Amino acid sequence: MRAMPNRLINETSPYLRQHAYNPVDWYPWGEEAFRRAREEDKPILLSIGYSSCHWCHVMERECFEDPEIARLMNENFVCVKVDREERPDVDAVYMQAVQAMTGSGGWPLTVFLTPDGEPFFGGTYFPPDDRHGLPGFPRVLRAIAEAYRGQRQQVVQQARQLTSHLQRLASLRSSPEPLGPDVLREAYQGVQSQFDPEYGGFGPAPKFPQPLVWEFVLRYHARTGDPQALAIAERTLRAMAAGGMYDHLAGGFHRYSTDRYWLVPHFEKMLYDNALLARLYLHAYQATGLADYRRVAEETIGYLLAEMRLPVGAFASAQDADSEGIEGKYYVWTWQEVMDILGPELGRAFSLVYGVTPEGNWEGRNVLHIAVPVQEAAAQLGMATGELQDMMAEGRRRLLEARARRVPPERDDKVLVSWNGLALAALAEAACVLQRDDYREAALDCARFLLTELVRDGRLMHTWKDGQAKVPAYLDDYACLVGGLLALHEATFDSGWLERAVELARQMVDLFWEPHEDAFYDTGRDHERLVVRPRDLFDNATPCGGSEAARVLLLLAAITGKHELADVAVRALRGLRELMSRAPLGTGNWLCALDFYLAPPKEIAVVGDPSALDTRRLLDVVYSTFLPNKVVVGLPPDTAAPPGFPLLEGRTAVGGRATAYVCQNFACREPATEPDVLAAQLRDP
């Protein structure tokens, strides 16, 4: 008979609901838990994780489902469970605390707090008994409870000192030094010095894709023409797409590689990774013209549309690493399975190309990867390259069909605005570059949902699940959605998306910008107060709110002519000047924003029907090359320009034909109706 559920059964977060039948007396984050802690004079045990986190599931099975460990937790602590994706502000504050205490962090995150919310001890995963050099969780629980009862003064003092330290970390100020190309040069040199020339990426295992850093490197190549910058980006992009981190059957990328070679992934799939990587490969295609990059971008977007898109039009957050309680089970193959499904001839050829062996490459099974390129394999097998490519397509189709009969990983189907904003931007930009109307329609569906279901009383919300929007939106929600809406305007020429982007950007500055500190904070002025107001300065797997806010404000300033928007962005950039130079792997999106600021953008206004052939021919010129420092606005013919967008004012279709207007450095060229004329204007520096 199943146990009675705890309070988490009433939550919408799939991660919290996964813990609803633990014997732990869990509370969700909120005043009720802190009130009980104060009344009973107990410390808070805060546990933070997310639904697709493998080690979160391990700790749940080993500790939170153990009746004796649960008894220790319930008797000595008020236990609070948080979904880091639903409450990134709570996660950011206490992750920084654990990093300050231990020098490292990760999930599951385990933190002990005073009833006032001040942290005094923490760590990540704790096993159920002493092992691997880690203390067992029961021993940790007893020691913390005893210290809290017997050494209260020291505990409170430590908590206050740590909280003061966190407050100081959030107080970075603007640099008096000017923002110049030297920052970009020093950052690129830092990237280059940490590059792994043999396998691509950075450093030893584990290896993360870091798309924001590679976006900066592609921009640096476009800015300087440095061939080495393009070479190291391509080395990494080819290696990631050939490795097991890429899903060669359904498209899309797993979270990261557990080894230096991009072979064995950590198997969860995240919306943000795939949105950012789709754009990165799209930009690599623009920069090189190589069809393989286009294929990866299209397959990654195909994965998002097939497996992550919800019936409402927005996108789910993640797919789990585990299925049937085993990490990677859904994705890996034995040699015998491959031979049984494909037969001897196709099976042998497929195994050669995708590295399938009887002994396997991971725990006796095989993670598919490109072990031998098709052209080389065709030569070994004595067949034409085209013939082998067709055979590989058939092999992938059959294995995907067989995989679909397996128990799939769980999907976390809550909608997060920031990650959906990234997906919206990827879809809209791909619609422009690849002239894909299906991507445009998917982007429109996503934007309509976000602006309808995730706005309450004029205030953007952070997350939606089962018809409920909750938690006031964070800085990155606003910034990523503004970026997505600007891309959607490019894909549709609908000025309504521009107007919504401006409206949200103004709200963003009002809520999150502190002018006396020259700083963006991650939570708005109307948000719940934590022990520290969080301010994430680093671009990690996703752009931090401050960097994306600076980037989109610079775009909007170019489009609207409102210099006050650019002023906010530049003041925010100045605060990160030293960090960009010293820590480029953690400031990729800041560097992209700085590159835009330092290169007066090409301002391109196109008047025409975006579905008409003459307009598409002009747009094909705009999107056929990599022009990272551009803004594009569009206006259907015989349509009045909306007020507040000077790039569109007075623009008409010359002679009734689609017409492009190119401006830069406060000077405009002659209107262009021919693609070759427009191409020459865009090439001219």
Side-chain angles (χ1 to χ4, degrees):
M1 184 173 164
R2 201 172 191 189
M4 289 290 289
N6 56 48
R7 295 169 189 80
L8 301 186
I9 196 68
N10 299 316
E11 295 297 302
T12 57
S13 160
Y15 174 68
L16 297 184
R17 290 175 69 90
Q18 286 169 6
H19 293 77
Y21 287 92
N22 296 163
V24 177
D25 187 17
W26 289 119
Y27 283 79
W29 179 270
E31 176 54 29
E32 184 184 2
F34 284 91
R35 183 169 59 249
R36 181 182 161 196
R38 289 190 296 269
E39 289 170 353
E40 298 184 8
D41 193 22
K42 286 182 177 179
I44 297 275
L45 191 167
L46 175 63
S47 175
I48 303 177
Y50 57 103
S51 69
S52 58
C53 165
H54 171 68
W55 285 102
C56 299
H57 298 321
V58 172
M59 191 166 175
E60 179 190 15
R61 287 194 299 270
E62 292 180 340
C63 296
F64 304 149
E65 292 181 354
D66 182 283
E68 178 57 24
I69 293 177
R71 183 188 65 78
L72 280 173
M73 294 170 66
N74 294 337
E75 286 180 1
N76 294 287
F77 304 94
V78 174
C79 302
V80 175
K81 176 59 81 170
V82 165
D83 179 345
R84 68 168 291 256
E85 295 168 356
E86 189 174 79
R87 289 302 303 264
D89 55 330
V90 174
D91 177 61
V93 168
Y94 295 109
M95 177 63 75
Q96 203 168 43
V98 169
Q99 288 169 336
M101 285 186 273
T102 68
S104 63
W107 299 277
L109 187 67
T110 309
V111 199
F112 295 89
L113 322 176
T114 69
D116 294 324
E118 295 184 329
F120 62 87
F121 183 80
T124 54
Y125 163 79
F126 289 103
D129 46 49
D130 296 0
R131 64 170 80 147
H132 310 307
L134 295 170
F137 200 41
R139 187 149 70 91
V140 171
L141 294 171
R142 292 188 185 100
I144 295 296
E146 189 175 313
Y148 189 78
R149 285 193 298 267
Q151 302 169 33
R152 177 70 57 86
Q153 188 173 351
Q154 294 96 311
V155 166
V156 171
Q157 184 179 3
Q158 180 172 324
R160 287 178 180 161
Q161 287 174 345
L162 183 55
T163 302
S164 296
H165 171 70
L166 297 179
Q167 289 165 343
R168 287 194 299 273
L169 287 178
S171 63
L172 189 68
R173 293 291 184 268
S174 286
S175 166
E177 298 295 319
L179 292 167
D182 58 309
V183 179
L184 301 177
R185 183 174 61 252
E186 290 164 10
Y188 173 68
Q189 289 167 351
V191 168
Q192 203 175 20
S193 71
Q194 298 175 74
F195 175 68
D196 177 353
E198 193 171 357
Y199 297 103
F202 303 106
K207 269 191 173 161
F208 290 82
Q210 296 188 269
L212 298 168
V213 176
W214 296 113
E215 289 281 7
F216 162 63
V217 172
L218 287 180
R219 281 174 167 269
Y220 191 79
H221 168 70
R223 163 179 284 273
T224 65
D226 184 341
Q228 184 64 20
L230 183 60
I232 67 173
E234 285 206 77
R235 178 74 186 92
T236 303
L237 267 63
R238 286 196 303 269
M240 290 195 301
M245 203 179 80
Y246 186 66
D247 184 346
H248 293 274
L249 301 185
F253 289 85
H254 298 291
R255 180 68 195 92
Y256 62 86
S257 174
T258 61
D259 52 56
R260 183 185 173 194
Y261 324 107
W262 306 104
L263 175 60
V264 178
H266 195 42
F267 286 93
E268 73 241 44
K269 283 181 169 180
M270 311 301 294
L271 175 60
Y272 56 79
D273 281 324
N274 285 285
L276 290 169
L277 286 164
R279 285 183 86 186
L280 175 62
Y281 279 86
L282 191 69
H283 294 159
Y285 168 62
Q286 289 178 297
T288 66
L290 295 177
D292 272 352
Y293 297 136
R294 173 177 180 151
R295 173 185 59 80
V296 173
E298 289 189 300
E299 288 175 358
T300 301
I301 292 174
Y303 156 73
L304 290 177
L305 293 175
E307 298 193 40
M308 296 294 276
R309 193 181 187 206
L310 301 171
V312 295
F315 291 85
S317 297
Q319 282 181 312
D320 209 326
D322 303 2
S323 52
E324 300 181 82
I326 300 172
E327 184 181 9
K329 183 176 182 180
Y330 184 71
Y331 297 102
V332 296
W333 304 87
T334 64
W335 182 82
Q336 193 61 53
E337 283 175 323
V338 171
M339 299 305 290
D340 289 346
I341 294 165
L342 301 186
E345 182 186 1
L346 178 54
R348 278 195 298 273
F350 191 91
S351 295
L352 173 65
V353 172
Y354 286 99
V356 180
T357 63
E359 60 273 15
N361 55 32
W362 182 62
E363 299 182 358
R365 295 176 178 269
N366 292 277
V367 178
L368 300 183
H369 65 291
I370 304 295
V372 180
V374 169
Q375 193 169 4
E376 186 181 324
Q380 289 185 34
L381 296 168
M383 64 173 62
T385 300
E387 180 186 358
L388 185 58
Q389 285 174 330
D390 291 343
M391 289 177 68
M392 294 303 97
E394 174 62 15
R396 291 192 301 271
R397 185 192 67 77
R398 289 193 203 174
L399 288 183
L400 184 61
E401 196 174 79
R403 195 173 84 177
R405 294 192 287 271
R406 296 176 173 177
V407 176
E410 292 290 326
R411 184 177 72 174
D412 185 332
D413 57 357
K414 69 176 177 292
V415 173
L416 298 174
V417 169
S418 55
W419 299 1
N420 270 264
L422 297 175
L424 171 59
L427 284 166
E429 190 168 349
C432 295
V433 175
L434 306 178
Q435 296 194 2
R436 292 284 300 258
D437 291 335
D438 55 336
Y439 294 174
R440 183 180 294 105
E441 289 304 315
L444 283 165
D445 287 345
C446 180
R448 287 168 182 145
F449 178 82
L450 296 176
L451 292 176
T452 302
E453 297 299 323
L454 279 126
V455 176
R456 183 188 296 163
D457 299 326
R459 175 63 153 95
L460 189 65
M461 305 303 286
H462 170 62
T463 182
W464 179 95
K465 175 80 167 68
D466 297 338
Q468 293 183 52
K470 57 193 294 189
V471 186
Y474 300 96
L475 174 61
D476 63 338
D477 292 312
Y478 275 87
C480 291
L481 182 53
V482 169
L485 294 176
L486 292 178
L488 186 57
H489 167 74
E490 287 189 42
T492 61
F493 288 10
D494 182 343
S495 61
W497 303 119
L498 275 183
E499 290 166 340
R500 290 305 300 270
V502 170
E503 178 188 329
L504 286 168
R506 285 178 176 147
Q507 205 175 88
M508 177 178 76
V509 172
D510 288 344
L511 285 167
F512 303 97
W513 177 248
E514 293 295 345
H516 60 286
E517 298 179 52
D518 285 348
F520 277 111
Y521 282 88
D522 295 335
T523 54
R525 291 190 180 86
D526 57 349
H527 202 88
E528 172 194 353
R529 296 291 175 187
L530 303 177
V531 291
V532 176
R533 189 178 181 188
R535 183 189 176 202
D536 189 1
L537 301 175
F538 288 98
D539 299 311
N540 293 301
T542 58
C544 73
S547 70
E548 188 64 1
R551 192 185 73 84
V552 299
L553 288 174
L554 290 170
L555 287 169
L556 277 171
I559 291 169
T560 63
K562 296 186 183 303
H563 301 299
E564 64 272 19
L565 299 178
D567 178 60
V568 169
V570 173
R571 288 162 67 188
L573 283 166
R574 285 204 181 106
L576 272 289
R577 187 193 187 285
E578 297 305 318
L579 209 54
M580 285 187 274
S581 295
R582 293 198 320 268
L585 298 191
T587 52
N589 200 52
W590 284 108
L591 288 161
C592 290
L594 178 60
D595 178 59
F596 185 93
Y597 167 66
L598 293 174
K602 290 190 184 293
E603 300 162 348
I604 305 163
V606 180
V607 181
D609 177 351
S611 64
L613 180 60
D614 59 346
T615 310
R616 288 197 174 210
R617 288 174 65 217
L618 292 177
L619 292 173
D620 190 48
V621 171
V622 173
Y623 295 111
S624 62
T625 55
F626 183 50
L627 296 171
N629 296 318
K630 69 178 185 304
V631 292
V632 180
V633 291
L635 191 68
D638 304 318
T639 303
F645 299 100
L647 279 186
L648 290 171
E649 288 173 8
R651 308 303 191 193
T652 59
V654 176
R657 302 171 64 191
T659 306
Y661 298 81
V662 177
C663 304
Q664 190 173 20
N665 279 328
F666 312 105
C668 295
R669 306 298 179 88
E670 288 291 322
T673 57
E674 292 296 335
D676 57 341
V677 174
L678 175 59
Q681 292 180 355
L682 295 179
R683 281 195 302 270
D684 186 349

